């Protein structure tokens, strides 16, 4: 069918009172960015709905682009026709015929703001309903929970028809909750954490700690490729690579192995926080899940968290591994995350990390290090790149080759 516009329903936005205007303008901005290739499409954002006037653009392709945009509750492709009873009946029949399958029921739901139109909404329900009923053999009417809901709206300028509703991802428009730094490793949990934070409107920048020569370039590429998987929700993501080898060497040289993990994490958090400050972020996001590993006991988290008062968002903190994996599969990061390229934590993993580190001891051991100088040197070596949806850092053939070796 030649749809003329896509009607977008806002999600939670409608309940957000004063912030509503901000949310709507953020959502328009995100939709515009995601549709930048469709130069014909015009966006009109009203209080309750957004209208994308297609002007000849392919409705399927436009709808594909809308699918991952947070803040969209649902959307419907719409056909605009002139306000003629016959044209409305014919078009409605054609639209329902296209999606009807034997056994499906329908209902017509009409509204008219043009009170001068020949039919009132009851007439319209009846007249359009009989056109469909008589036109499709075997179709039945059902008032409650029909399979197909044919919506007809007659306004001053034209009539609008739609009978298909596609669920959007819900959530809040990315950017409406401010910016946060996502600590992105190459694992399963942190990409899921990033996805969930974006769903609540956080614009993320990825921070990745990289320890060459102890970790391979492939481990970096894996994290970059995971960032690629998160871009459909935002268009692009800033990826910040943080040199971390010197810090890990120093920790290993100067402190007892039971405390390496806690001290390493404290450095990661300090660095993430400094980067956040530089880049105007308000929070840090990570993939910690309570009790999953030694660094994620309450005692460990308390000792690590001690280096900052910045809010830390831990979207997967209470989830079981299987629940996290379910989301990772849905957002297609799981296969990539289980590739065995080691990251900086595994290389320096101590044989027996403390699961209940004592803060006084941590602080005491850290005094053996020149914390500030180490941080400054690492920050001096940051590299920042923009990651886009079509980028390839780790392709399938490398993954398969690795499987063979
Ligand atoms: P993930 O699956 O996300 O790697 P994990 O269960 O392996 O998590 P840890 O390795 O203990 O857990 O890491 C906890 C969190 O610390 C990660 O979710 C991530 O947010 C952050 N983190 C760990 N390693 C790195 C790294 N190399 N770069 C950036 N962040 C990291
Ligand atoms: Mg990890």
């Amino acid at each position: 069918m030649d749809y003329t516009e896509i009607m977008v329903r806002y999600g939670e936005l409608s309940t957000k009172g004063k912030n509503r205007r901000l949310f709507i303008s953020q959502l328009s901005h995100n939709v515009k960015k995601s549709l930048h290739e469709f130069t014909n499409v015009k966006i009109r954002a009203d209080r309750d709905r957004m209208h994308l006037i297609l002007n000849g653009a392919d409705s399927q392709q436009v709808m594909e682009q809308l699918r991952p945009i947070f803040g969209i509750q649902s959307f419907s492709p719409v056909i605009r026709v002139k306000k003629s009873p016959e044209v409305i009946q014919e078009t409605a029949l054609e639209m329902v015929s296209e999606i009807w399958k034997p056994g499906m029921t329908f209902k017509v739901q009409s509204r008219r703001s043009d009170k001068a139109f020949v039919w009132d909404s009851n007439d319209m329900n009846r007249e359009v309903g009989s056109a469909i009923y008589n036109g499709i053999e075997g179709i039945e009417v059902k008032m409650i929970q029909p399979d197909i809901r044919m919506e007809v709206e007659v306004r001053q300028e034209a009539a609008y028809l739609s009978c298909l509703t596609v669920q959007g991802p819900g959530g809040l428009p990315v950017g409406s909750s401010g910016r946060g730094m996502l600590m992105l490793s190459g694992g399963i949990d942190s990409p899921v954490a990033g996805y969930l934070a974006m769903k609540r409107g956080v614009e993320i920048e990825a921070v990745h700690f990289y320890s060459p020569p102890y970790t391979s370039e492939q481990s970096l590429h894996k994290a970059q490729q995971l960032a690629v998987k998160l871009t459909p929700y935002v268009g692009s993501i800033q990826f910040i690579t943080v040199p971390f080898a010197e810090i890990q060497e120093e920790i290993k040289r100067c402190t007892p192995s039971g405390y390496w993990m806690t001290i390493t994490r404290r450095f990661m958090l300090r660095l993430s926080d400094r980067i956040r400050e530089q880049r105007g972020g308000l929070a840090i996001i990570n993939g910690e899940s309570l009790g999953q590993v030694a660094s994620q006991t309450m005692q460990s988290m308390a000792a690590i968290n001690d280096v900052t008062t910045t809010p830390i968002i831990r979207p997967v903190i209470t989830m079981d591994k299987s629940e996290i994996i379910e989301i990772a599969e849905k957002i297609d990061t799981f296969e990539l995350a289980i590739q065995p390229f080691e990251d900086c934590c595994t290389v320096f993993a101590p044989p027996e990390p403390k699961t209940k580190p004592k803060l006084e001891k941590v602080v005491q051991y850290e005094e053996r290090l020149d914390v500030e100088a180490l941080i400054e040197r690492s920050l001096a070596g940051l590299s920042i790149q923009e990651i886009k949806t079509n980028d390839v850092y780790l392709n399938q053939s490398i993954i398969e080759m690795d499987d063979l070796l």
Side-chain angles (χ1 to χ4, degrees):
M1 301 262 2
D2 285 334
Y3 292 105
T4 50
E5 70 168 72
I6 311 287
M7 198 255 291
V8 176
R9 297 174 197 86
Y10 306 139
E12 221 169 294
L13 303 192
S14 340
T15 62
K16 287 286 175 182
K18 260 200 211 155
N19 289 332
R20 185 183 186 122
R21 215 166 1 157
L22 176 81
F23 288 138
I24 292 175
S25 78
Q26 183 72 55
L27 184 61
S28 311
H29 174 84
N30 297 354
V31 168
K32 200 173 285 173
K33 197 164 143 198
S34 149
L35 297 179
H36 72 276
E37 281 172 23
F38 300 87
T39 45
N40 289 344
V41 177
K42 291 265 168 309
I43 299 174
R44 205 185 75 222
D46 294 343
R47 227 183 110 71
D48 303 314
R49 281 160 189 204
M50 185 182 292
H51 301 270
L52 309 178
I53 319 299
L54 293 172
N55 291 320
D58 184 304
S59 57
Q60 283 305 323
Q61 287 175 8
V62 169
M63 289 197 284
E64 246 351 274
Q65 289 295 112
L66 293 181
R67 232 175 247 279
I69 300 181
F70 292 123
I72 295 181
Q73 183 68 29
S74 65
F75 53 86
S76 299
V78 176
I79 296 185
R80 173 187 162 133
V81 293
K82 66 175 184 182
K83 292 188 293 179
S84 132
E86 295 76 33
V87 175
I88 293 174
Q89 282 176 314
E90 276 165 27
T91 314
L93 173 59
E94 207 181 320
M95 287 170 84
V96 175
S97 305
E98 202 174 89
I99 56 172
W100 183 77
K101 294 198 179 56
M104 280 186 172
T105 55
F106 87 106
K107 163 186 184 175
V108 178
Q109 203 163 352
S110 308
R111 270 199 296 173
R112 91 179 164 157
S113 49
D114 173 12
K115 301 292 177 207
F117 188 60
V118 286
W119 290 334
D120 68 13
S121 48
N122 284 332
D123 299 335
M124 210 139 47
N125 287 343
R126 197 179 52 244
E127 297 295 333
V128 177
S130 30
I132 295 170
Y133 185 78
N134 296 326
I136 301 173
E137 212 183 305
I139 195 165
E140 291 296 336
V141 178
K142 192 171 172 219
M143 294 323 250
I144 297 164
Q145 292 191 326
D147 301 306
I148 301 170
R149 190 184 298 270
M150 177 79 234
E151 292 184 30
V152 184
E153 189 177 351
V154 176
R155 288 189 230 149
Q156 291 304 330
E157 70 285 6
Y160 296 84
L161 284 77
S162 76
C163 64
L164 198 69
T165 298
V166 182
Q167 284 308 306
L172 303 174
V174 175
S176 63
S177 302
R179 178 177 299 162
M181 300 293 125
L182 169 67
M183 298 171 70
L184 180 65
S185 67
I188 297 168
D189 308 323
S190 48
V192 170
Y195 164 81
L196 292 172
M198 286 193 285
K199 185 160 191 272
R200 293 310 294 170
V202 182
E203 180 201 346
I204 56 166
E205 294 195 344
V207 175
H208 179 71
F209 298 94
Y210 178 43
S211 298
Y214 306 106
T215 50
S216 67
E217 255 194 334
Q218 280 177 344
S219 74
L220 171 63
H221 291 160
K222 181 182 173 192
Q224 288 164 322
Q225 197 64 44
L226 284 168
V228 170
K229 297 277 187 193
L230 297 179
T231 59
Y233 311 97
V234 269
S236 66
I237 290 177
Q238 300 297 319
F239 186 96
I240 305 168
T241 310
V242 190
F244 204 56
E246 190 199 359
I247 292 176
Q248 288 190 293
E249 283 167 350
E250 277 298 285
I251 294 172
K252 190 166 178 183
R253 197 170 64 82
C254 305
T255 66
S257 66
Y259 280 84
W260 290 350
M261 183 271 301
T262 313
I263 297 174
T264 304
R265 300 286 159 170
R266 283 164 62 93
F267 270 92
M268 284 188 177
L269 195 51
R270 284 189 184 102
L271 281 161
S272 301
D273 205 25
R274 294 282 286 269
I275 297 166
R276 174 199 63 75
E277 222 177 309
Q278 285 177 12
R279 303 197 53 89
L282 293 169
I284 293 168
I285 300 129
N286 69 24
E288 286 172 337
S289 167
L290 189 58
Q292 197 186 84
V293 288
S295 61
Q296 294 166 22
T297 62
M298 289 257 214
Q299 293 83 350
S300 273
M301 280 194 283
I304 295 163
N305 211 151
D306 172 68
V307 301
T308 179
T309 55
T310 298
I312 300 181
I313 299 174
R314 300 177 172 92
V316 302
I317 192 73
T318 59
M319 288 187 192
D320 292 348
K321 196 76 190 183
S322 60
E323 293 170 310
I324 302 174
I325 288 174
E326 201 175 304
I327 301 177
E329 281 175 333
K330 188 175 95 183
I331 62 170
D332 194 30
T333 53
F334 182 68
E335 278 301 312
L336 194 55
I338 57 174
Q339 294 306 312
F341 309 123
E342 297 194 326
D343 77 2
C344 60
C345 308
T346 30
V347 176
F348 284 92
E352 281 179 33
K354 288 248 180 294
T355 52
K356 293 183 182 172
K358 295 213 169 33
L359 187 55
E360 320 82 72
K361 289 221 169 139
V362 175
V363 171
Q364 186 193 324
Y365 293 134
E366 264 182 10
E367 276 167 11
R368 301 174 183 175
L369 304 166
D370 189 345
V371 173
E372 194 47 35
L374 285 167
I375 290 202
E376 287 300 333
R377 279 202 291 281
S378 171
L379 288 177
L382 291 190
S383 95
I384 303 177
Q385 68 187 124
E386 184 178 11
I387 295 212
K388 301 212 187 71
T389 306
N390 294 323
D391 290 353
V392 177
Y393 293 93
L394 198 66
N395 60 35
Q396 200 56 35
S397 62
I398 296 180
I399 294 175
E400 277 157 17
M401 189 121 78
D402 192 79
D403 283 346
L404 290 175
L405 295 175

